[in-house]
Amino acid sequence: MNRRDFIYKTSIAGSSAIASPQIIDSLISTGKKPKSVIIIGAGFAGLSAAYKFVQNEVSVTVLESRNRIGGRVFSHNPENAAGQVIELGAEWVGASHERIISLCNTFGLILDNNQFETDTSISGIHRKDGEWEFGTVMNEFWNKKAALWKNMTEKEKRKLDKTDWWRYLSNLNIDEKDMQIRELLDSTDFGESIRQASAYSAFSEYAESSEKNEMDLKIRGGNGLLAHKFSEAIGIEKIKLNHTVKSIEQTNRKGVKVICDNGSSFEADKIICAIPTFSLLKINWLPDLPSRTYDALQELQYARIGKYPILFSERFWQREDFDMITDTPAHYFYHGTKGQPGQSGVLTCYATGDKGEVLASIDKKRRSEIILEALAPAFGNVKKYVQEEMMYYWGQDKYSSGAYAFYGKYQRFDVMPTLKKSFMHCFFAGEHLADWQGFMEGAINSGEEAADLILRGH
Ligand SMILES: Cc1cc2nc3c(=O)[nH]c(=O)nc-3n(C[C@H](O)[C@H](O)[C@H](O)COP(=O)(O)OP(=O)(O)OC[C@H]3O[C@@H](n4cnc5c(N)ncnc54)[C@H](O)[C@@H]3O)c2cc1C
């Protein structure tokens, strides 16, 4: 049973938690297809929803704040690189992420292998992949986690949401050294310490993910190409950039009216808000959002991830599939230009939580020193190879205030279904509402689900 079925079944079974309301709503369809729909947000959730409407001949307008499409998918060409592309936002397409893989096939996009073999650098000692391993307890648990998950009762799974992933693992008597590595590895997935992550979110993700935990593939030429393919299929003229929605007015009879900060306004039968919660809270709603929705919006946090890529004149790390966790503020490195031609290459420093925030706030010189010092145990002084230093700290992104939603204890079965609940003519989408939460796949699934509900006459 996947996570969606689980949430649905447990809530239908009469527990105090709410079932995914959009699923429940789907039982009460009017069967009337709308004539026009407005979508707020040209990230993967908004674009996938718009694509679905265009395919079903429903008039659609997409309103986007930024001067670009893609949202948290943000491919970038370093100025001094010879045509190489790196990702400042979403990086990996998972092998289990069926929908994004199928869309890449439809649009003729090529997916390249983007798997890595992990080195460690702990207490100043560098160990190459193959030179370090977890202890027996950790290994045994990891190897049987999928079977354990499969055999758990629904009640047992729900109970996991009451504790954090760190505590759950420590109760298994995992070695302290292994716990440290687990924290360093898994906090790159959640974007914050596993001491705060729900054990339900972590266990379900790791039990159902590919062997490399969905760090498998990448779109050749940049993940942003999928956004461009979407926009061509939707019709570029239907996507209005630099349009920040500031108010949403709904009436039962007339539908929806949206007003943007540049004075323009749009009307439609239905609307999908495919934006992060931080942005939703800035909108003036008429009538106001239900108080429970408002509370849930205030409860959900987002992960603080910073990417600090460096373009080096030589790939001194030698292995194309190089990545490395460290116990320094630089946290994690991976080869950001894996498989791309050229002598130069990018190592992306990827720091989460407090580490990501500290690296963002200190001055450029000190940040550079910290990052290069973290590479020293493995490669010595590599300053001479530095050609360009870049950064994007998502904790201060104007529209999301974080990389992706971070579900803590007691939130998965409460906050998520509440935020999914439609409100008059308004439906909600975005990675924060998906089974594959925190992934491009989840954003696409959620956009398509919201569009499906509207197309079925809700
Ligand atoms: C650092 C980082 C690493 C990641 N790594 C991965 C990974 O390896 N693999 C993976 O699959 N996923 C990864 N993700 C997650 C992935 O990027 C997201 O899940 C997905 O892109 C979210 O899409 P979305 O459409 O829900 O939201 P967004 O992409 O945020 O789109 C929402 C859009 O709405 C716009 N907007 C906001 N407010 C308004 C308004 N009032 N009016 C108009 N427009 C508005 C925003 O500008 C934005 O463009 C990563 C994300 C980050 C940041």
Side-chain angles (χ1 to χ4, degrees), residues 80-112:
N80 301 305
Q84 291 157 346
V85 60
I86 59 166
E87 302 297 340
L88 295 176
E91 189 83 38
W92 288 272
V93 171
S96 320
H97 295 168
E98 292 169 7
R99 188 59 190 139
I100 190 169
I101 291 172
S102 142
L103 283 163
C104 287
N105 287 335
T106 304
F107 291 129
L109 296 173
I110 297 166
L111 286 160
D112 287 323

PDB file of all heavy atoms in Angstrom, residues 80-112:
ATOM      1  N   ASN A  80      31.422  31.358 -16.364  1.00  0.00           N
ATOM      2  CA  ASN A  80      32.729  31.009 -16.919  1.00  0.00           C
ATOM      3  C   ASN A  80      32.831  29.563 -17.403  1.00  0.00           C
ATOM      4  O   ASN A  80      33.911  29.107 -17.752  1.00  0.00           O
ATOM      5  CB  ASN A  80      33.824  31.277 -15.871  1.00  0.00           C
ATOM      6  CG  ASN A  80      33.814  32.738 -15.471  1.00  0.00           C
ATOM      7  OD1 ASN A  80      33.903  33.618 -16.326  1.00  0.00           O
ATOM      8  ND2 ASN A  80      33.647  33.004 -14.183  1.00  0.00           N
ATOM      9  N   ALA A  81      31.712  28.861 -17.390  1.00  0.00           N
ATOM     10  CA  ALA A  81      31.766  27.464 -17.841  1.00  0.00           C
ATOM     11  C   ALA A  81      31.415  27.409 -19.321  1.00  0.00           C
ATOM     12  O   ALA A  81      30.674  28.247 -19.823  1.00  0.00           O
ATOM     13  CB  ALA A  81      30.765  26.631 -17.049  1.00  0.00           C
ATOM     14  N   ALA A  82      31.960  26.421 -19.988  1.00  0.00           N
ATOM     15  CA  ALA A  82      31.716  26.297 -21.429  1.00  0.00           C
ATOM     16  C   ALA A  82      30.420  25.521 -21.653  1.00  0.00           C
ATOM     17  O   ALA A  82      30.436  24.343 -21.984  1.00  0.00           O
ATOM     18  CB  ALA A  82      32.890  25.599 -22.084  1.00  0.00           C
ATOM     19  N   GLY A  83      29.296  26.199 -21.436  1.00  0.00           N
ATOM     20  CA  GLY A  83      27.993  25.584 -21.732  1.00  0.00           C
ATOM     21  C   GLY A  83      27.512  24.570 -20.712  1.00  0.00           C
ATOM     22  O   GLY A  83      26.486  23.928 -20.914  1.00  0.00           O
ATOM     23  N   GLN A  84      28.241  24.422 -19.617  1.00  0.00           N
ATOM     24  CA  GLN A  84      27.777  23.443 -18.618  1.00  0.00           C
ATOM     25  C   GLN A  84      26.587  24.015 -17.849  1.00  0.00           C
ATOM     26  O   GLN A  84      26.437  25.228 -17.731  1.00  0.00           O
ATOM     27  CB  GLN A  84      28.917  23.089 -17.662  1.00  0.00           C
ATOM     28  CG  GLN A  84      30.003  22.291 -18.361  1.00  0.00           C
ATOM     29  CD  GLN A  84      31.347  22.398 -17.643  1.00  0.00           C
ATOM     30  OE1 GLN A  84      31.538  23.240 -16.791  1.00  0.00           O
ATOM     31  NE2 GLN A  84      32.280  21.547 -18.038  1.00  0.00           N
ATOM     32  N   VAL A  85      25.781  23.100 -17.332  1.00  0.00           N
ATOM     33  CA  VAL A  85      24.582  23.556 -16.613  1.00  0.00           C
ATOM     34  C   VAL A  85      24.544  22.893 -15.237  1.00  0.00           C
ATOM     35  O   VAL A  85      24.901  21.720 -15.088  1.00  0.00           O
ATOM     36  CB  VAL A  85      23.304  23.251 -17.439  1.00  0.00           C
ATOM     37  CG1 VAL A  85      23.131  21.777 -17.718  1.00  0.00           C
ATOM     38  CG2 VAL A  85      22.050  23.799 -16.770  1.00  0.00           C
ATOM     39  N   ILE A  86      24.146  23.679 -14.238  1.00  0.00           N
ATOM     40  CA  ILE A  86      24.008  23.123 -12.884  1.00  0.00           C
ATOM     41  C   ILE A  86      22.598  23.433 -12.383  1.00  0.00           C
ATOM     42  O   ILE A  86      21.886  24.244 -12.977  1.00  0.00           O
ATOM     43  CB  ILE A  86      25.059  23.696 -11.895  1.00  0.00           C
ATOM     44  CG1 ILE A  86      24.935  25.224 -11.802  1.00  0.00           C
ATOM     45  CG2 ILE A  86      26.468  23.260 -12.282  1.00  0.00           C
ATOM     46  CD1 ILE A  86      25.674  25.817 -10.623  1.00  0.00           C
ATOM     47  N   GLU A  87      22.247  22.789 -11.290  1.00  0.00           N
ATOM     48  CA  GLU A  87      20.922  22.998 -10.713  1.00  0.00           C
ATOM     49  C   GLU A  87      21.062  23.760  -9.395  1.00  0.00           C
ATOM     50  O   GLU A  87      21.745  23.297  -8.483  1.00  0.00           O
ATOM     51  CB  GLU A  87      20.222  21.654 -10.437  1.00  0.00           C
ATOM     52  CG  GLU A  87      20.055  20.764 -11.651  1.00  0.00           C
ATOM     53  CD  GLU A  87      19.171  21.355 -12.736  1.00  0.00           C
ATOM     54  OE1 GLU A  87      18.380  22.273 -12.437  1.00  0.00           O
ATOM     55  OE2 GLU A  87      19.293  20.909 -13.895  1.00  0.00           O
ATOM     56  N   LEU A  88      20.383  24.900  -9.311  1.00  0.00           N
ATOM     57  CA  LEU A  88      20.371  25.637  -8.040  1.00  0.00           C
ATOM     58  C   LEU A  88      19.188  25.203  -7.183  1.00  0.00           C
ATOM     59  O   LEU A  88      19.143  25.457  -5.993  1.00  0.00           O
ATOM     60  CB  LEU A  88      20.308  27.141  -8.316  1.00  0.00           C
ATOM     61  CG  LEU A  88      21.540  27.717  -9.026  1.00  0.00           C
ATOM     62  CD1 LEU A  88      21.345  29.191  -9.350  1.00  0.00           C
ATOM     63  CD2 LEU A  88      22.798  27.533  -8.179  1.00  0.00           C
ATOM     64  N   GLY A  89      18.216  24.548  -7.807  1.00  0.00           N
ATOM     65  CA  GLY A  89      17.071  23.978  -7.076  1.00  0.00           C
ATOM     66  C   GLY A  89      17.091  22.473  -7.220  1.00  0.00           C
ATOM     67  O   GLY A  89      18.110  21.834  -6.942  1.00  0.00           O
ATOM     68  N   ALA A  90      15.963  21.897  -7.684  1.00  0.00           N
ATOM     69  CA  ALA A  90      15.839  20.429  -7.748  1.00  0.00           C
ATOM     70  C   ALA A  90      16.912  19.800  -8.622  1.00  0.00           C
ATOM     71  O   ALA A  90      17.194  20.286  -9.712  1.00  0.00           O
ATOM     72  CB  ALA A  90      14.465  20.061  -8.284  1.00  0.00           C
ATOM     73  N   GLU A  91      17.490  18.700  -8.132  1.00  0.00           N
ATOM     74  CA  GLU A  91      18.626  18.066  -8.806  1.00  0.00           C
ATOM     75  C   GLU A  91      18.261  16.715  -9.435  1.00  0.00           C
ATOM     76  O   GLU A  91      18.415  16.502 -10.619  1.00  0.00           O
ATOM     77  CB  GLU A  91      19.729  17.848  -7.761  1.00  0.00           C
ATOM     78  CG  GLU A  91      21.045  17.387  -8.335  1.00  0.00           C
ATOM     79  CD  GLU A  91      21.885  18.541  -8.851  1.00  0.00           C
ATOM     80  OE1 GLU A  91      21.889  19.600  -8.224  1.00  0.00           O
ATOM     81  OE2 GLU A  91      22.515  18.373  -9.894  1.00  0.00           O
ATOM     82  N   TRP A  92      17.765  15.783  -8.591  1.00  0.00           N
ATOM     83  CA  TRP A  92      17.644  14.399  -9.040  1.00  0.00           C
ATOM     84  C   TRP A  92      16.224  14.020  -9.435  1.00  0.00           C
ATOM     85  O   TRP A  92      15.261  14.379  -8.738  1.00  0.00           O
ATOM     86  CB  TRP A  92      18.079  13.428  -7.933  1.00  0.00           C
ATOM     87  CG  TRP A  92      19.548  13.413  -7.697  1.00  0.00           C
ATOM     88  CD1 TRP A  92      20.475  12.636  -8.343  1.00  0.00           C
ATOM     89  CD2 TRP A  92      20.296  14.189  -6.732  1.00  0.00           C
ATOM     90  NE1 TRP A  92      21.740  12.888  -7.849  1.00  0.00           N
ATOM     91  CE2 TRP A  92      21.655  13.844  -6.868  1.00  0.00           C
ATOM     92  CE3 TRP A  92      19.937  15.150  -5.784  1.00  0.00           C
ATOM     93  CZ2 TRP A  92      22.653  14.407  -6.088  1.00  0.00           C
ATOM     94  CZ3 TRP A  92      20.932  15.722  -5.015  1.00  0.00           C
ATOM     95  CH2 TRP A  92      22.272  15.352  -5.159  1.00  0.00           C
ATOM     96  N   VAL A  93      16.122  13.277 -10.510  1.00  0.00           N
ATOM     97  CA  VAL A  93      14.866  12.620 -10.873  1.00  0.00           C
ATOM     98  C   VAL A  93      15.002  11.180 -10.377  1.00  0.00           C
ATOM     99  O   VAL A  93      15.985  10.506 -10.692  1.00  0.00           O
ATOM    100  CB  VAL A  93      14.662  12.628 -12.408  1.00  0.00           C
ATOM    101  CG1 VAL A  93      13.477  11.756 -12.809  1.00  0.00           C
ATOM    102  CG2 VAL A  93      14.489  14.060 -12.918  1.00  0.00           C
ATOM    103  N   GLY A  94      14.027  10.738  -9.586  1.00  0.00           N
ATOM    104  CA  GLY A  94      14.130   9.399  -9.007  1.00  0.00           C
ATOM    105  C   GLY A  94      13.729   8.310  -9.993  1.00  0.00           C
ATOM    106  O   GLY A  94      12.877   8.521 -10.855  1.00  0.00           O
ATOM    107  N   ALA A  95      14.345   7.145  -9.818  1.00  0.00           N
ATOM    108  CA  ALA A  95      13.999   6.017 -10.688  1.00  0.00           C
ATOM    109  C   ALA A  95      12.552   5.576 -10.489  1.00  0.00           C
ATOM    110  O   ALA A  95      11.944   4.998 -11.383  1.00  0.00           O
ATOM    111  CB  ALA A  95      14.948   4.850 -10.419  1.00  0.00           C
ATOM    112  N   SER A  96      11.984   5.845  -9.291  1.00  0.00           N
ATOM    113  CA  SER A  96      10.575   5.475  -9.049  1.00  0.00           C
ATOM    114  C   SER A  96       9.607   6.574  -9.485  1.00  0.00           C
ATOM    115  O   SER A  96       8.404   6.422  -9.328  1.00  0.00           O
ATOM    116  CB  SER A  96      10.329   5.235  -7.556  1.00  0.00           C
ATOM    117  OG  SER A  96      11.376   4.555  -6.955  1.00  0.00           O
ATOM    118  N   HIS A  97      10.130   7.676  -9.963  1.00  0.00           N
ATOM    119  CA  HIS A  97       9.264   8.826 -10.273  1.00  0.00           C
ATOM    120  C   HIS A  97       8.695   8.691 -11.691  1.00  0.00           C
ATOM    121  O   HIS A  97       9.146   9.319 -12.649  1.00  0.00           O
ATOM    122  CB  HIS A  97      10.034  10.133 -10.077  1.00  0.00           C
ATOM    123  CG  HIS A  97      10.413  10.354  -8.640  1.00  0.00           C
ATOM    124  ND1 HIS A  97      11.302  11.302  -8.213  1.00  0.00           N
ATOM    125  CD2 HIS A  97       9.986   9.725  -7.514  1.00  0.00           C
ATOM    126  CE1 HIS A  97      11.405  11.259  -6.891  1.00  0.00           C
ATOM    127  NE2 HIS A  97      10.629  10.295  -6.443  1.00  0.00           N
ATOM    128  N   GLU A  98       7.658   7.870 -11.751  1.00  0.00           N
ATOM    129  CA  GLU A  98       7.133   7.424 -13.052  1.00  0.00           C
ATOM    130  C   GLU A  98       6.590   8.560 -13.916  1.00  0.00           C
ATOM    131  O   GLU A  98       6.771   8.569 -15.124  1.00  0.00           O
ATOM    132  CB  GLU A  98       5.997   6.409 -12.828  1.00  0.00           C
ATOM    133  CG  GLU A  98       6.491   5.114 -12.257  1.00  0.00           C
ATOM    134  CD  GLU A  98       5.356   4.211 -11.790  1.00  0.00           C
ATOM    135  OE1 GLU A  98       4.181   4.536 -12.036  1.00  0.00           O
ATOM    136  OE2 GLU A  98       5.676   3.177 -11.178  1.00  0.00           O
ATOM    137  N   ARG A  99       5.924   9.501 -13.292  1.00  0.00           N
ATOM    138  CA  ARG A  99       5.250  10.531 -14.088  1.00  0.00           C
ATOM    139  C   ARG A  99       6.253  11.478 -14.749  1.00  0.00           C
ATOM    140  O   ARG A  99       6.133  11.785 -15.927  1.00  0.00           O
ATOM    141  CB  ARG A  99       4.275  11.315 -13.188  1.00  0.00           C
ATOM    142  CG  ARG A  99       3.391  12.268 -13.933  1.00  0.00           C
ATOM    143  CD  ARG A  99       2.529  11.584 -14.999  1.00  0.00           C
ATOM    144  NE  ARG A  99       1.874  12.568 -15.829  1.00  0.00           N
ATOM    145  CZ  ARG A  99       1.742  12.477 -17.151  1.00  0.00           C
ATOM    146  NH1 ARG A  99       2.203  11.417 -17.799  1.00  0.00           N
ATOM    147  NH2 ARG A  99       1.151  13.431 -17.830  1.00  0.00           N
ATOM    148  N   ILE A 100       7.261  11.888 -14.006  1.00  0.00           N
ATOM    149  CA  ILE A 100       8.235  12.819 -14.612  1.00  0.00           C
ATOM    150  C   ILE A 100       9.029  12.085 -15.700  1.00  0.00           C
ATOM    151  O   ILE A 100       9.333  12.654 -16.757  1.00  0.00           O
ATOM    152  CB  ILE A 100       9.139  13.494 -13.537  1.00  0.00           C
ATOM    153  CG1 ILE A 100       9.950  14.625 -14.156  1.00  0.00           C
ATOM    154  CG2 ILE A 100      10.047  12.539 -12.844  1.00  0.00           C
ATOM    155  CD1 ILE A 100      10.662  15.508 -13.150  1.00  0.00           C
ATOM    156  N   ILE A 101       9.305  10.810 -15.476  1.00  0.00           N
ATOM    157  CA  ILE A 101      10.032  10.035 -16.490  1.00  0.00           C
ATOM    158  C   ILE A 101       9.175   9.923 -17.753  1.00  0.00           C
ATOM    159  O   ILE A 101       9.657  10.118 -18.876  1.00  0.00           O
ATOM    160  CB  ILE A 101      10.424   8.643 -15.935  1.00  0.00           C
ATOM    161  CG1 ILE A 101      11.494   8.807 -14.842  1.00  0.00           C
ATOM    162  CG2 ILE A 101      10.931   7.723 -17.043  1.00  0.00           C
ATOM    163  CD1 ILE A 101      11.849   7.547 -14.078  1.00  0.00           C
ATOM    164  N   SER A 102       7.886   9.672 -17.549  1.00  0.00           N
ATOM    165  CA  SER A 102       7.004   9.550 -18.712  1.00  0.00           C
ATOM    166  C   SER A 102       6.885  10.893 -19.450  1.00  0.00           C
ATOM    167  O   SER A 102       6.879  10.933 -20.681  1.00  0.00           O
ATOM    168  CB  SER A 102       5.656   9.005 -18.222  1.00  0.00           C
ATOM    169  OG  SER A 102       4.605   9.571 -18.882  1.00  0.00           O
ATOM    170  N   LEU A 103       6.823  12.006 -18.713  1.00  0.00           N
ATOM    171  CA  LEU A 103       6.754  13.319 -19.371  1.00  0.00           C
ATOM    172  C   LEU A 103       8.034  13.609 -20.161  1.00  0.00           C
ATOM    173  O   LEU A 103       7.988  14.168 -21.250  1.00  0.00           O
ATOM    174  CB  LEU A 103       6.524  14.420 -18.324  1.00  0.00           C
ATOM    175  CG  LEU A 103       5.082  14.518 -17.797  1.00  0.00           C
ATOM    176  CD1 LEU A 103       5.027  15.307 -16.499  1.00  0.00           C
ATOM    177  CD2 LEU A 103       4.162  15.156 -18.848  1.00  0.00           C
ATOM    178  N   CYS A 104       9.178  13.207 -19.602  1.00  0.00           N
ATOM    179  CA  CYS A 104      10.447  13.399 -20.333  1.00  0.00           C
ATOM    180  C   CYS A 104      10.394  12.625 -21.643  1.00  0.00           C
ATOM    181  O   CYS A 104      10.818  13.125 -22.689  1.00  0.00           O
ATOM    182  CB  CYS A 104      11.641  12.944 -19.485  1.00  0.00           C
ATOM    183  SG  CYS A 104      11.989  14.095 -18.148  1.00  0.00           S
ATOM    184  N   ASN A 105       9.851  11.412 -21.601  1.00  0.00           N
ATOM    185  CA  ASN A 105       9.715  10.619 -22.837  1.00  0.00           C
ATOM    186  C   ASN A 105       8.807  11.327 -23.833  1.00  0.00           C
ATOM    187  O   ASN A 105       9.136  11.461 -25.007  1.00  0.00           O
ATOM    188  CB  ASN A 105       9.144   9.222 -22.534  1.00  0.00           C
ATOM    189  CG  ASN A 105      10.189   8.350 -21.865  1.00  0.00           C
ATOM    190  OD1 ASN A 105      11.385   8.570 -22.040  1.00  0.00           O
ATOM    191  ND2 ASN A 105       9.752   7.377 -21.089  1.00  0.00           N
ATOM    192  N   THR A 106       7.670  11.812 -23.337  1.00  0.00           N
ATOM    193  CA  THR A 106       6.711  12.506 -24.217  1.00  0.00           C
ATOM    194  C   THR A 106       7.364  13.695 -24.906  1.00  0.00           C
ATOM    195  O   THR A 106       7.166  13.932 -26.091  1.00  0.00           O
ATOM    196  CB  THR A 106       5.507  13.025 -23.377  1.00  0.00           C
ATOM    197  OG1 THR A 106       4.947  11.929 -22.687  1.00  0.00           O
ATOM    198  CG2 THR A 106       4.458  13.698 -24.231  1.00  0.00           C
ATOM    199  N   PHE A 107       8.147  14.466 -24.138  1.00  0.00           N
ATOM    200  CA  PHE A 107       8.721  15.703 -24.683  1.00  0.00           C
ATOM    201  C   PHE A 107      10.103  15.498 -25.309  1.00  0.00           C
ATOM    202  O   PHE A 107      10.765  16.461 -25.691  1.00  0.00           O
ATOM    203  CB  PHE A 107       8.830  16.763 -23.570  1.00  0.00           C
ATOM    204  CG  PHE A 107       7.501  17.293 -23.093  1.00  0.00           C
ATOM    205  CD1 PHE A 107       7.191  17.332 -21.738  1.00  0.00           C
ATOM    206  CD2 PHE A 107       6.558  17.776 -23.993  1.00  0.00           C
ATOM    207  CE1 PHE A 107       5.979  17.840 -21.281  1.00  0.00           C
ATOM    208  CE2 PHE A 107       5.338  18.287 -23.547  1.00  0.00           C
ATOM    209  CZ  PHE A 107       5.047  18.317 -22.202  1.00  0.00           C
ATOM    210  N   GLY A 108      10.560  14.264 -25.364  1.00  0.00           N
ATOM    211  CA  GLY A 108      11.854  13.981 -25.995  1.00  0.00           C
ATOM    212  C   GLY A 108      13.047  14.466 -25.180  1.00  0.00           C
ATOM    213  O   GLY A 108      14.093  14.800 -25.748  1.00  0.00           O
ATOM    214  N   LEU A 109      12.900  14.513 -23.866  1.00  0.00           N
ATOM    215  CA  LEU A 109      14.034  14.918 -23.016  1.00  0.00           C
ATOM    216  C   LEU A 109      14.804  13.675 -22.574  1.00  0.00           C
ATOM    217  O   LEU A 109      14.198  12.635 -22.281  1.00  0.00           O
ATOM    218  CB  LEU A 109      13.537  15.691 -21.790  1.00  0.00           C
ATOM    219  CG  LEU A 109      12.848  17.019 -22.091  1.00  0.00           C
ATOM    220  CD1 LEU A 109      12.240  17.614 -20.818  1.00  0.00           C
ATOM    221  CD2 LEU A 109      13.826  18.013 -22.701  1.00  0.00           C
ATOM    222  N   ILE A 110      16.118  13.816 -22.516  1.00  0.00           N
ATOM    223  CA  ILE A 110      16.955  12.659 -22.173  1.00  0.00           C
ATOM    224  C   ILE A 110      17.308  12.697 -20.691  1.00  0.00           C
ATOM    225  O   ILE A 110      17.692  13.745 -20.158  1.00  0.00           O
ATOM    226  CB  ILE A 110      18.247  12.665 -23.025  1.00  0.00           C
ATOM    227  CG1 ILE A 110      17.862  12.531 -24.497  1.00  0.00           C
ATOM    228  CG2 ILE A 110      19.207  11.550 -22.615  1.00  0.00           C
ATOM    229  CD1 ILE A 110      18.988  12.854 -25.451  1.00  0.00           C
ATOM    230  N   LEU A 111      17.182  11.548 -20.052  1.00  0.00           N
ATOM    231  CA  LEU A 111      17.569  11.448 -18.636  1.00  0.00           C
ATOM    232  C   LEU A 111      18.916  10.742 -18.541  1.00  0.00           C
ATOM    233  O   LEU A 111      19.079   9.637 -19.061  1.00  0.00           O
ATOM    234  CB  LEU A 111      16.501  10.664 -17.863  1.00  0.00           C
ATOM    235  CG  LEU A 111      15.203  11.439 -17.603  1.00  0.00           C
ATOM    236  CD1 LEU A 111      14.051  10.504 -17.297  1.00  0.00           C
ATOM    237  CD2 LEU A 111      15.401  12.428 -16.455  1.00  0.00           C
ATOM    238  N   ASP A 112      19.864  11.422 -17.916  1.00  0.00           N
ATOM    239  CA  ASP A 112      21.197  10.826 -17.734  1.00  0.00           C
ATOM    240  C   ASP A 112      21.334  10.286 -16.325  1.00  0.00           C
ATOM    241  O   ASP A 112      20.710  10.806 -15.387  1.00  0.00           O
ATOM    242  CB  ASP A 112      22.280  11.894 -17.933  1.00  0.00           C
ATOM    243  CG  ASP A 112      22.430  12.268 -19.397  1.00  0.00           C
ATOM    244  OD1 ASP A 112      22.313  11.372 -20.256  1.00  0.00           O
ATOM    245  OD2 ASP A 112      22.640  13.470 -19.664  1.00  0.00           O
TER     246      ASP A 112
END
